[in-house]
Amino acid sequence: MKLKNVTAALLIASIGTASAAPVFDTPFYKTQERNQEQWQVEDKDIDAKLAELEKKHGKKPNIIYILTDDIGWGELGWQGGGKHRGTPTPALDQMASEGMAMWSAYAEPSCTPTRIALNTGRLPVRTGLIDVLWPGQENGLPTEEVGIAELLGEAGYDTAMWGKWHMGEEAEHSPVAHGYDYAYYGLFNGAPDGWQSSHDTYNQPTNVKAPFMDFPGNEEYLAQYGIDLSVSGYTEAKGEERQPILGKAGELGPDRQAAFEKESSKQMIQYVKDQAQDEDPFFIYWASYALQITGSAEHQDAEGVDKANAQASMMVQHNEHVQSLLDTLRDEGIAENTLVVWISDNGPMYAFYPTSGYSLLKGGKGDVTEGGVRVPAMAWWPGMIEAGQQPTDMFHVTDLYTTAARLAGATDKIPTDRVIDGLDQTSLLLNGEGHGRRDYMFHYKGSELGAIRMGDYKIHIEPSSGGLPHMDFYNIKRDPGEKFGGMYNGLYMVKPIQDFIGGHKGKMEEYPNRDTSETLPSNH
Amino acid sequence: MKLKNVTAALLIASIGTASAAPVFDTPFYKTQERNQEQWQVEDKDIDAKLAELEKKHGKKPNIIYILTDDIGWGELGWQGGGKHRGTPTPALDQMASEGMAMWSAYAEPSCTPTRIALNTGRLPVRTGLIDVLWPGQENGLPTEEVGIAELLGEAGYDTAMWGKWHMGEEAEHSPVAHGYDYAYYGLFNGAPDGWQSSHDTYNQPTNVKAPFMDFPGNEEYLAQYGIDLSVSGYTEAKGEERQPILGKAGELGPDRQAAFEKESSKQMIQYVKDQAQDEDPFFIYWASYALQITGSAEHQDAEGVDKANAQASMMVQHNEHVQSLLDTLRDEGIAENTLVVWISDNGPMYAFYPTSGYSLLKGGKGDVTEGGVRVPAMAWWPGMIEAGQQPTDMFHVTDLYTTAARLAGATDKIPTDRVIDGLDQTSLLLNGEGHGRRDYMFHYKGSELGAIRMGDYKIHIEPSSGGLPHMDFYNIKRDPGEKFGGMYNGLYMVKPIQDFIGGHKGKMEEYPNRDTSETLPSNH
């Protein structure tokens, strides 16, 4: 795989900005200033730890990011969900107890935006892709964005993805066009081979209607949008064209999603085995299918499973797949050289209740209340991440990008001509609780700034009222359910809040957001 | 203490109903019928285990019940609260991990009712005491009720209570009148030496007003209701009159509650040491003071404490006291002969937010939604309760009564002329998860039946609408936040629900509720 490295080196040379530092959002520099001394000490220590690990294993650490779909904060067993909700998650709970269980992890409020955030390290609003993509939409992940797989590929990683892509269906939007060496994937823009093709009512209470595909004019619709129901997914590899996988995930039955997941897991485990002793490290992006709506027949009779909830059997299957993946890493002797992070893409999609995810927080998918953006997450890296940690530190899905770059020794390959929102959280992982580097967030709802986080405080931005800037002000630490908001609580903070937002908007003017129309393919 | 046993024996003989079985509510007998075979096997095993323990220690097991005040489900560290909320609870979390962390424990919706339920094993509505008592109210725990301390005293236990009594202020309502050998207590009916006397704003955000005692006419009010602000609590022992403790808990400053707690803890630990090698087992009922509104100056600078939340420093103090108690049990070598159960009396009292408790569940203190009645609880008994359990089994605060009777070998001393709502949960404790014996509950709001539980289903009873009995129907296992109720979900269950309620009401007619007026002292 040396050819790729050569290409990467040439690319870097031609861009010529490799030595400049990444550009972060305004508040970051204040945090950095306050913590400079501590961070310098930590960073030296981190560099030493990583150098020692590299010496031992002869390569940079492998990185596996598992992005799940619509699983709410509180759903896993370690958060009081799991068996208590009829969806036991023992392997995910064990992963949490063997590593770091993050109670304050955040994603974007919906599917496409979170995928963009993870893959580019940037707020979706900056990329021009601000919302969930639907069938027939022609925009997608812009070529100009530097994806995480491109970055890691340039740093010498072998890269692969499995699962739900959902960042555009044109060739230039595909995983391979964005740096992945290999991909087995589906659900470009919500439909072709995705959950919409589940037309059975398997495992659902009788009051839930059969979804989507059984309506008058169905066939015209399928033809118009080029939906081929016999396609279960696509494979693609560098230098090869995208190939539809016919029937791979079984017939168009209710087990279609489960079958897709099974095939993904099988391939992924083989990949890990193949790569274990390779000279290059690997990066896997596993974006699991929607774990709801339809179930897994194979798992519906598992112990403790709520039979009336399709999501429960899918969670059991997912749990098994994660177990197999971690077991494989251990069996191959590469667990201590592999970081695995598991995170959900957003809160529960209640439209599908009762077969949906769930959270006790306020709101769900699509909202910038905690129920929409606060998600369960775990980080696992035996020997490197101390077991049993439950940090209170804030973590955002964009941080996965910048942290991966740091671990890969590729921070200098992060583009420097745009704002990067992801922060390097290596210190949180390796130094543990209290060493996180994030103390702010911007929660966008589409193109609108819906809420901000300043430390423990969250402020929902609302239209002005009574001649005052209207802000619903919450202490999220004390009030995670967002029950006790109100202007009066934060009146003394109006000026700092306005300055904070001003700094963000100023940076945005300096580095303007990409226009969505730019991302349309040239032949449209 | 043999005299007491003799008296008890005479009492039992005079009542003459000792050999009859307790009367439970209608649904219990159906559950019993379904599980008869399994229960018989379990019960034999339990008897053998307890006999072995008694042989080893030469007496029945000690029992300590800790009832806390207004702590919501989700507030402890093991539930995702604790340090994440700025109220670290390491000792309580360790207690949970060394024993049983109960995610499905329930209390009554407010202070007095839960205290009645724990002490009588009966739904408050049956006793005639249906709501929170306030200063000047003349009713209280009726003499005719057989309190848990009476029951255990008759079985040879030494009994003591510390903390917030709140079940009447007349002599006949006091702890000693209801079987406790010793009591150090306060807050009869909400005021005299309780939280209402906190007139400082220590440790509170500026938008919270100083509570209660600083108003025009204050002195007349105090005189009228006999409130003596120099009194910090009362002691009482068998054969002695109640004695006010002047200044024991310090001056009437903001630390008053903290000082009361400190004194309680000190006495309790001495009591445990004194009793450790006594020939009789002991029973402690520790009803902690309100852990909110005012803070503990001594603990406000503890690590991780949210300084703007008075409750946080009180929780730190409480945590320390629990730690000391468990440490003392271990040090005295009696841990494996002592069951300790910790449970909250109801959900958070949001009237005091932001210095109140908190829950992500719906509603709070006073409500029969989960936020009002579902509470954190732990059971600890090294060697007898397997560590690390997190059962899904339902547990109600009345169960503490009947379970204590079983452990004390005093089931035959439970009165048989009335309905007992508490079920014997010894099997859950000793045989572990899945061996709970409760699959139903009746949630009363004052004298009204507000909701029922049938297994995983909860039904809120509402006035009829549209010619149909109106019931909001929830699957609590899947929807603990009570977000997705509705008649339509449970329409097919209307008949079973009506039968279920009918069975309960029928039993209530057979064994009528006590009339509150009967509980008024005769001289009023």
Side-chain angles (χ1 to χ4, degrees):
Chain A
M1 314 243 163
K2 288 292 145 197
L3 178 63
K4 192 176 66 199
N5 292 347
V6 171
T7 322
L10 288 172
L11 256 170
I12 296 294
S14 68
I15 297 170
T17 52
S19 62
V23 179
F24 296 105
D25 205 351
T26 307
F28 169 77
Y29 295 100
K30 295 187 179 163
T31 316
Q32 189 183 42
E33 206 183 320
R34 276 199 304 278
N35 297 285
Q36 212 153 14
E37 274 177 52
Q38 191 195 329
W39 287 10
Q40 277 169 357
V41 174
E42 287 172 359
D43 281 334
K44 265 194 187 166
D45 184 45
I46 289 168
D47 287 342
K49 271 187 197 169
L50 292 175
E52 196 189 330
L53 190 76
E54 187 169 356
K55 201 173 156 194
K56 189 168 171 192
H57 292 272
K59 57 182 170 187
K60 299 282 183 196
N62 308 306
I63 299 169
I64 300 177
Y65 287 162
I66 307 171
L67 183 71
T68 46
D69 201 80
D70 300 352
I71 302 299
W73 187 93
E75 273 194 73
L76 302 191
W78 60 265
Q79 291 196 307
K83 68 181 177 185
H84 300 283
R85 245 201 115 231
T87 58
T89 56
L92 298 169
D93 302 341
Q94 198 183 330
M95 180 185 174
S97 72
E98 289 175 4
M100 189 172 260
M102 296 184 185
W103 288 88
S104 293
Y106 288 84
E108 293 297 302
S110 57
C111 290
T112 301
T114 286
R115 278 148 231 275
I116 297 283
L118 189 154
N119 273 275
T120 67
R122 284 152 53 79
L123 291 178
V125 69
R126 302 192 197 279
T127 72
L129 265 186
I130 53 172
D131 245 322
V132 176
L133 292 171
W134 287 102
Q137 267 184 261
E138 290 160 342
N139 50 354
L141 187 57
T143 307
E144 294 80 1
E145 294 294 333
V146 178
I148 189 168
E150 287 176 86
L151 196 75
L152 295 175
E154 286 176 12
Y157 278 63
D158 295 331
T159 60
M161 81 86 49
W162 281 268
K164 174 176 163 180
W165 182 243
H166 209 177
M167 287 189 286
E169 37 178 74
E170 305 295 331
E172 69 217 68
H173 304 141
S174 86
V176 167
H178 286 275
Y180 291 95
D181 299 327
Y182 173 80
Y184 171 67
Y185 64 114
L187 199 79
F188 297 116
N189 288 358
D193 49 1
W195 43 262
Q196 288 195 317
S197 52
S198 305
H199 56 354
D200 205 337
T201 56
Y202 157 75
N203 217 4
Q204 299 195 355
T206 49
N207 62 312
V208 176
K209 275 178 287 185
F212 310 122
M213 281 304 175
D214 186 18
F215 59 88
N218 179 20
E219 275 153 40
E220 288 83 343
Y221 167 85
L222 297 177
Q224 183 185 348
Y225 293 105
I227 298 173
D228 181 352
L229 291 180
S230 67
V231 173
S232 66
Y234 296 83
T235 58
E236 198 177 13
K238 273 227 168 109
E240 290 170 28
E241 278 205 2
R242 186 156 75 200
Q243 295 295 330
I245 302 290
L246 300 170
K248 188 80 183 176
E251 290 310 301
L252 245 195
D255 259 2
R256 189 180 175 77
Q257 289 173 219
F260 184 92
E261 283 293 279
K262 195 172 178 178
E263 171 66 18
S264 296
S265 171
K266 196 180 122 200
Q267 289 191 14
M268 207 180 316
I269 282 171
Q270 192 54 52
Y271 180 86
V272 169
K273 287 181 179 171
D274 291 345
Q275 292 285 335
Q277 303 312 324
D278 193 273
E279 61 180 339
D280 296 331
F282 64 81
F283 168 63
I284 290 175
Y285 169 49
W286 172 22
S288 88
Y289 239 85
L291 300 176
Q292 55 189 14
I293 314 168
T294 60
S296 167
E298 216 179 306
H299 300 88
Q300 66 169 325
D301 293 321
E303 206 189 322
V305 162
D306 179 350
K307 288 191 207 313
N309 182 358
Q311 191 216 18
S313 55
M314 284 301 282
M315 284 289 276
V316 173
Q317 188 203 38
H318 178 70
N319 184 79
E320 278 181 10
H321 290 163
V322 172
Q323 178 78 63
S324 303
L325 181 61
L326 300 187
D327 285 348
T328 305
L329 294 172
R330 271 186 283 248
D331 293 347
E332 297 293 326
I334 57 172
E336 73 158 16
N337 200 40
T338 307
L339 165 67
V340 184
V341 177
W342 185 105
I343 190 168
S344 179
D345 66 342
N346 46 247
M349 187 161 179
Y350 288 128
F352 297 131
Y353 184 87
T355 67
S356 73
Y358 193 84
S359 179
L360 285 171
L361 298 172
K362 189 175 179 179
K365 183 173 181 173
D367 300 323
V368 295
T369 47
E370 296 290 289
V373 293
R374 195 171 194 170
V375 291
M378 298 88 78
W380 181 93
W381 193 354
M384 294 297 278
I385 294 177
E386 197 186 326
Q389 290 185 84
Q390 304 213 4
T392 58
D393 303 72
M394 217 185 284
F395 190 95
H396 186 259
V397 66
T398 51
D399 298 346
L400 292 173
Y401 181 93
T402 312
T403 304
R406 169 73 176 273
L407 295 176
T411 303
D412 62 353
K413 293 179 178 63
I414 293 174
T416 57
D417 61 346
R418 63 197 75 186
V419 177
I420 299 295
D421 296 286
L423 303 183
D424 172 17
Q425 295 271 33
T426 309
S427 185
L428 170 60
L429 300 181
L430 302 192
N431 295 317
E433 172 160 4
H435 294 274
R437 297 205 170 166
R438 178 174 286 285
D439 64 0
Y440 69 90
M441 275 186 296
F442 294 95
H443 298 295
Y444 273 85
K445 194 169 178 168
S447 60
E448 293 299 315
L449 182 59
I452 60 171
R453 261 297 283 278
M454 301 169 71
D456 293 339
Y457 301 99
K458 180 172 182 179
I459 300 99
H460 285 273
I461 316 296
E462 311 280 352
S464 68
S465 70
L468 288 162
H470 188 153
M471 298 167 181
D472 247 353
F473 186 90
Y474 297 85
N475 180 326
I476 282 298
K477 187 170 183 175
R478 212 181 304 164
D479 179 20
E482 286 157 296
K483 299 183 188 210
F484 298 98
M487 181 73 192
Y488 73 97
N489 284 324
L491 200 53
Y492 67 94
M493 268 185 73
V494 167
K495 187 75 180 102
I497 290 168
Q498 286 179 329
D499 288 350
F500 182 82
I501 296 174
H504 169 69
K505 294 285 185 194
K507 186 71 78 177
M508 206 169 253
E509 275 166 34
E510 203 181 330
Y511 295 92
N513 297 336
R514 205 176 295 289
D515 187 337
T516 317
S517 59
E518 283 179 30
T519 68
L520 290 178
S522 50
N523 63 336
H524 282 86
Chain B
M1 313 242 166
K2 289 291 146 198
L3 177 63
K4 193 176 64 195
N5 292 349
V6 172
T7 321
L10 288 173
L11 257 170
I12 295 294
S14 68
I15 296 171
T17 53
S19 62
V23 179
F24 296 105
D25 205 351
T26 307
F28 169 76
Y29 296 100
K30 294 187 180 162
T31 316
Q32 189 183 42
E33 205 183 321
R34 275 199 305 278
N35 297 285
Q36 212 154 15
E37 274 178 51
Q38 192 194 327
W39 287 10
Q40 277 170 357
V41 174
E42 288 173 359
D43 281 334
K44 266 196 186 163
D45 184 45
I46 289 167
D47 286 342
K49 272 187 193 168
L50 292 175
E52 197 189 332
L53 191 76
E54 188 169 355
K55 200 172 158 194
K56 189 169 171 189
H57 293 273
K59 56 183 171 186
K60 300 281 182 197
N62 308 304
I63 300 170
I64 300 178
Y65 287 161
I66 307 171
L67 183 71
T68 47
D69 201 80
D70 300 351
I71 302 299
W73 188 94
E75 271 195 73
L76 301 190
W78 61 266
Q79 292 196 306
K83 68 181 177 185
H84 300 282
R85 246 201 116 230
T87 58
T89 55
L92 298 170
D93 301 341
Q94 199 184 328
M95 180 184 174
S97 71
E98 288 175 3
M100 190 173 259
M102 295 185 186
W103 288 88
S104 292
Y106 288 83
E108 293 297 300
S110 58
C111 289
T112 301
T114 287
R115 278 149 231 275
I116 296 283
L118 189 154
N119 274 275
T120 67
R122 284 152 51 80
L123 289 178
V125 70
R126 302 192 196 278
T127 72
L129 266 186
I130 54 172
D131 244 324
V132 177
L133 292 170
W134 287 102
Q137 268 184 259
E138 291 161 341
N139 49 355
L141 187 56
T143 308
E144 295 81 0
E145 292 295 332
V146 178
I148 189 169
E150 287 176 85
L151 196 73
L152 294 176
E154 286 175 14
Y157 278 62
D158 295 332
T159 59
M161 82 85 51
W162 281 268
K164 174 177 164 181
W165 182 241
H166 209 177
M167 287 189 285
E169 36 179 75
E170 305 295 332
E172 70 217 68
H173 305 141
S174 87
V176 167
H178 286 276
Y180 291 95
D181 300 326
Y182 172 80
Y184 172 67
Y185 63 114
L187 199 80
F188 298 116
N189 288 358
D193 49 2
W195 43 262
Q196 288 194 318
S197 52
S198 305
H199 56 357
D200 204 337
T201 56
Y202 157 74
N203 216 4
Q204 300 196 354
T206 48
N207 61 313
V208 176
K209 274 177 290 184
F212 311 121
M213 281 303 175
D214 187 17
F215 59 88
N218 179 20
E219 275 153 39
E220 288 83 344
Y221 166 86
L222 296 177
Q224 183 184 349
Y225 293 105
I227 299 173
D228 181 352
L229 291 181
S230 67
V231 172
S232 66
Y234 296 83
T235 56
E236 197 176 12
K238 273 228 168 105
E240 290 171 28
E241 277 204 4
R242 185 156 76 199
Q243 295 294 331
I245 302 291
L246 300 171
K248 189 81 183 176
E251 291 309 302
L252 244 195
D255 259 2
R256 188 179 176 76
Q257 289 174 220
F260 184 92
E261 282 293 278
K262 196 173 178 177
E263 171 66 18
S264 296
S265 171
K266 196 180 121 201
Q267 288 190 15
M268 207 180 316
I269 282 172
Q270 191 55 53
Y271 181 86
V272 169
K273 287 180 179 171
D274 291 345
Q275 293 284 337
Q277 304 313 324
D278 193 274
E279 59 181 338
D280 297 331
F282 64 81
F283 168 64
I284 290 175
Y285 169 49
W286 172 21
S288 87
Y289 239 85
L291 301 175
Q292 56 189 14
I293 314 168
T294 60
S296 167
E298 215 180 304
H299 300 87
Q300 65 170 324
D301 293 321
E303 206 188 321
V305 162
D306 179 350
K307 287 191 207 313
N309 182 359
Q311 190 217 17
S313 56
M314 284 300 283
M315 284 289 276
V316 173
Q317 188 203 38
H318 178 70
N319 184 79
E320 279 181 10
H321 290 165
V322 172
Q323 178 79 62
S324 303
L325 180 61
L326 300 187
D327 285 348
T328 305
L329 294 173
R330 270 185 284 249
D331 293 347
E332 296 294 325
I334 57 172
E336 73 159 16
N337 200 38
T338 307
L339 164 68
V340 184
V341 177
W342 184 105
I343 190 168
S344 180
D345 66 341
N346 45 246
M349 187 162 178
Y350 288 128
F352 297 131
Y353 185 87
T355 68
S356 72
Y358 194 83
S359 180
L360 285 171
L361 297 172
K362 189 175 178 179
K365 184 173 181 174
D367 300 323
V368 294
T369 48
E370 296 290 289
V373 292
R374 194 172 192 168
V375 291
M378 299 88 78
W380 182 93
W381 194 354
M384 294 297 279
I385 294 178
E386 198 186 324
Q389 290 185 82
Q390 305 212 3
T392 58
D393 303 72
M394 218 186 283
F395 190 94
H396 187 260
V397 66
T398 51
D399 298 345
L400 292 172
Y401 181 92
T402 312
T403 304
R406 168 74 177 272
L407 295 176
T411 303
D412 62 353
K413 294 178 177 63
I414 293 175
T416 56
D417 60 347
R418 62 198 76 185
V419 177
I420 299 295
D421 295 287
L423 304 182
D424 172 17
Q425 295 271 32
T426 309
S427 185
L428 171 60
L429 300 181
L430 302 191
N431 295 317
E433 173 160 3
H435 294 275
R437 296 204 171 167
R438 178 175 285 286
D439 64 359
Y440 70 91
M441 276 186 297
F442 294 95
H443 298 295
Y444 273 83
K445 194 169 179 169
S447 60
E448 293 299 316
L449 181 59
I452 59 171
R453 262 295 284 279
M454 300 170 71
D456 294 339
Y457 300 99
K458 180 172 182 178
I459 300 99
H460 285 273
I461 316 296
E462 311 279 353
S464 68
S465 70
L468 288 163
H470 187 151
M471 298 167 180
D472 247 354
F473 186 91
Y474 297 86
N475 180 326
I476 282 299
K477 186 170 183 175
R478 212 182 303 164
D479 179 21
E482 285 157 297
K483 299 183 188 211
F484 299 99
M487 181 74 191
Y488 73 97
N489 284 324
L491 200 53
Y492 66 95
M493 268 185 74
V494 166
K495 187 74 180 103
I497 290 167
Q498 286 180 327
D499 288 350
F500 182 82
I501 295 174
H504 169 69
K505 294 286 185 195
K507 186 71 79 176
M508 206 169 254
E509 276 167 33
E510 202 182 333
Y511 295 91
N513 297 336
R514 205 176 296 287
D515 187 337
T516 317
S517 61
E518 285 179 28
T519 69
L520 290 177
S522 49
N523 63 336
H524 282 86

